[in-house]
Amino acid sequence: MKIFLVSAPSESAGIENSAESRAMKEQYPLGIAYLASILEKENHNTKLFNFFHNPMDSIKDEFFKSISLEQPDIICFSILSMNRVSTFKLTKLIKEKYPSIKIIVGG
């Protein structure tokens, strides 16, 4: 099974002077990295997308091109208060373009 694991953009991504941006700059989404490790041990094909620090407009084309080319079975989102709006926007767009892809959201 092909599974994408995604950390969607933070609402303050691209705003360099925000306290959130400065504090989170060095962090990596370990939760989805751990999930990828477990899924790979079970012979699933995974791909991670860490968009947390990228503005929403800057990631859409790349992300949807990957979806189109790789046709994942499932797309999982790691959701936090800081990226909830962009997560909901992306899940809505995915369901409009690719209704057969299953979406899982967790935090």
Side-chain angles (χ1 to χ4, degrees):
M1 189 171 289
K2 191 173 292 188
I3 304 169
F4 283 5
L5 298 139
V6 183
S7 178
S10 166
E11 275 71 49
S12 66
I15 303 171
E16 295 301 321
N17 293 329
S18 75
E20 175 190 321
S21 179
R22 289 191 307 271
M24 299 294 287
K25 203 67 155 178
E26 301 299 320
Q27 294 186 1
Y28 189 79
L30 289 178
I32 61 175
Y34 290 142
L35 287 173
S37 175
I38 292 166
L39 291 166
E40 287 171 1
K41 285 181 184 177
E42 296 296 322
N43 297 315
H44 295 287
N45 183 1
T46 65
K47 185 169 184 175
L48 277 80
F49 295 89
N50 182 16
F51 295 133
F52 193 80
H53 302 293
N54 304 88
M56 180 71 153
D57 291 338
S58 73
I59 64 101
K60 281 186 196 174
D61 290 341
E62 173 192 345
F63 186 51
F64 281 93
K65 184 177 178 181
S66 293
I67 294 171
S68 178
L69 290 173
E70 299 186 42
Q71 296 291 307
D73 302 295
I74 300 172
I75 301 177
C76 304
F77 287 89
S78 175
I79 190 169
L80 303 167
S81 296
M82 298 167 277
N83 70 348
R84 70 191 182 286
V85 174
S86 60
T87 298
F88 296 144
K89 286 179 183 177
L90 285 173
T91 58
K92 183 179 178 184
L93 290 171
I94 292 166
K95 276 302 178 185
E96 288 171 359
K97 292 183 180 192
Y98 306 97
S100 64
I101 294 176
K102 293 185 180 4
I103 296 176
I104 300 172
V105 178

